[in-house]
Amino acid sequence: MGRLIIVSNRVAPISEGGPAAGGLAVGVYDALKETGGVWFGWSGDVLTVPPEAIKLEEQGPVTFATIGLVRRDYDQYYRGFSNATLWPAFHYRPDLIEFDRDEYDGYCRVNRWLAAQLAPLLRPDDVIWVHDYHLIPFAQALRELGVKNRIGFFLHIPFPASQILLSVPRHRELVEALCAFDLLGFQTEPDLHAFCDYVETEAGGTLTRHAAKPVEVRAFGKTLKAAAYPIGVYPDEVRALAKDGESGRDVQTVKATLHQRKLVMSVDRLDYSKGLVERFRAFERLMEHDPQQRNNVSFLQIAPPTRSDVDAYRDIRLQLEAESGRINGRYAELDWTPIRYIHRQYERPVLAALFREAHVGFVTPLRDGMNLVAKEYVSAQDPDDPGVLVLSQFAGAARELKAALIVNPLDIDGMAEALATALAMPLDERRARHREMYALLRDNNVSVWRDNFLRDLKAR
Ligand code: GDG
């Protein structure tokens, strides 16, 4: 059996329970341990001189292969085209797209360079699984080097509707590059449909649909497959982590300072796609319309920093600071602050235990490929006394978690109403909703996601 080669922009540091070990890292690492293999990507270092060689670190059957990027490559490939062009476009924010030809050239150049670094490590029967929007041209680059292995791609973020994708200059080259993969995986059916629609209407390609199998795509002289594989979590592990963390110091502090008040909670990277400003306003609207809620409920927003060297991220941070200050100034009392906004990262067990404490998980992105926080919140609950998930219709997770209270994140009043409903929901209803969602998370855990993708990638 061939090895599995994972390629992602960043290689996740595998320290169990460490801050960065999310569902994806753990799920993919499991597969690597089973088959043996390599995890290749950027080390996270930005260098002043070009790196001499890949750094290889063996951990049992897994080799971590990492390499640094020089400042110009980081600026053009990562900060520029990936995060200032593709990220906003794929999250339906053409107003935030910044496009620069040199950055696009840098993006393609870095993809070719990374492919050339990986190629010598490959064996003929290896299966290569590439992750996310930073690496769209990666298969094309490997093919140019004569690599014949199976290569799959999973897109963690939404695939935009054609009319949005058209706003990215060079969109056609990007889709042509995607067609150099053997299998494309999307989070949801609408993402798959958006891709298929582009292929048919913009690229003159054709599609063959088979029941319960990937769509067969013919475009740009290539034949490939495409399907939706919704990513999951390991709910039992999150539940255990949450239970173990209950007695931890941070959780006890939160409990003590709540003084029996109810807790609404959110965790997101500080990103404009996550709908944080609208969420703060919805909490304010709840206070406004329902004075009884004042001093009886607190909202904890944990939003660790991310991509702070991209302009749009500085803007959203300032906006949030202003909003939380304004709302707290309006409603805070001597013994109560309505919004606790924390711009910092916490350890995974602490987050899981806080999720379990929270009466409401308030997860309202404007767009999100999946949103693992929603799945982690449900997983962490005590099944005998679970909290309620309020979830945006624009998170991929809403297609599965139908027993959540589904909201439109642009409808501030609607979100405030959903919060009130969640805070007052009777125990029987909370239990029934939670039971349905937990069963689904178990059936579609991260191993199922990975195994389904790899099965289709390996199938001829
Ligand atoms: C992309 C797509 C898709 C957050 N803060 C802390 C922390 N986290 C963890 C969460 C969760 C993960 O990070 C975030 O995952 P999300 O899915 O919510 O969002 P993105 O980062 O945007 O992820 C998304 C995902 O890829 C997977 O395919 O679902 O749609 O955008 O696991 O718990 N973890 C720790 N400390 C924090 O402060 N330890």
Side-chain angles (χ1 to χ4, degrees), residues 17-24 87 91 131-133 154-158 187 230-233 267-271 273-274 302-307 342 344-352 355 363 365 367-376 395-397 449:
L24 163 69
W87 180 274
H91 287 85
H131 290 263
D132 233 358
Y133 59 100
F154 185 77
L155 183 67
H156 289 261
I157 65 176
Q187 295 273 24
I231 191 169
V233 295
V267 177
D268 313 77
R269 286 182 305 95
L270 207 174
D271 193 300
S273 67
K274 301 291 184 182
I302 295 178
T306 175
R307 305 173 198 163
I342 305 181
R344 194 185 323 137
Q345 206 183 53
Y346 279 85
E347 302 256 300
R348 229 172 124 64
V350 176
L351 287 185
F355 283 151
V363 185
R367 286 283 160 182
D368 220 326
M370 178 53 61
N371 195 300
L372 294 180
V373 169
K375 294 187 168 184
E376 290 162 356
W449 165 75

Side-chain angles (χ1 to χ4, degrees), residues 213-436:
K213 278 203 173 157
V215 176
E216 203 174 279
V217 178
R218 284 169 205 271
F220 301 103
K222 303 274 186 345
T223 303
L224 62 150
K225 292 180 290 182
Y229 305 90
I231 191 169
V233 295
Y234 285 123
D236 294 348
E237 281 183 17
V238 178
R239 177 183 276 183
L241 210 57
K243 212 155 172 265
D244 288 351
E246 266 174 329
S247 54
R249 198 169 51 95
D250 291 316
V251 180
Q252 290 306 317
T253 306
V254 171
K255 254 176 134 165
T257 55
L258 277 175
H259 296 295
Q260 311 294 324
R261 293 184 192 99
K262 290 199 167 171
L263 178 65
V264 173
M265 182 176 168
S266 311
V267 177
D268 313 77
R269 286 182 305 95
L270 207 174
D271 193 300
Y272 52 79
S273 67
K274 301 291 184 182
L276 293 147
V277 173
E278 292 77 6
R279 194 182 301 163
F280 280 20
R281 291 189 181 146
F283 191 73
E284 177 187 30
R285 193 66 54 87
L286 176 74
M287 302 293 115
E288 212 172 275
H289 285 183
D290 194 352
Q292 284 201 333
Q293 303 281 4
R294 296 180 201 164
N295 211 336
N296 280 320
V297 53
S298 285
F299 172 30
L300 171 62
Q301 171 70 62
I302 295 178
T306 175
R307 305 173 198 163
S308 37
D309 51 357
V310 178
D311 289 345
Y313 288 75
R314 277 191 290 260
D315 295 347
I316 183 73
R317 180 180 170 182
L318 293 177
Q319 224 183 332
L320 270 184
E321 286 170 357
E323 278 305 272
S324 56
R326 184 183 64 72
I327 297 166
N328 282 339
R330 184 172 176 198
Y331 286 112
E333 296 178 19
L334 289 174
D335 63 343
W336 172 67
T337 308
I339 300 181
R340 300 182 189 191
Y341 162 52
I342 305 181
H343 186 46
R344 194 185 323 137
Q345 206 183 53
Y346 279 85
E347 302 256 300
R348 229 172 124 64
V350 176
L351 287 185
L354 287 172
F355 283 151
R356 195 175 174 95
E357 234 9 82
H359 299 84
V360 181
F362 198 18
V363 185
T364 55
L366 300 174
R367 286 283 160 182
D368 220 326
M370 178 53 61
N371 195 300
L372 294 180
V373 169
K375 294 187 168 184
E376 290 162 356
Y377 175 77
V378 171
S379 306
Q381 297 309 301
D382 174 355
D384 293 331
D385 186 15
V388 180
L389 176 65
V390 175
L391 179 61
S392 162
Q393 68 187 81
F394 299 120
R399 299 189 60 82
E400 294 166 272
L401 300 178
K402 295 199 167 80
L405 295 180
I406 304 292
V407 295
N408 179 336
L410 298 172
D411 177 4
I412 307 294
D413 286 314
M415 285 199 285
E417 276 166 21
L419 279 180
T421 306
L423 287 164
M425 191 178 283
L427 180 61
D428 283 354
E429 184 178 349
R430 282 190 277 129
R431 278 194 187 148
R433 286 176 184 266
H434 178 261
R435 209 169 26 244
E436 183 182 325

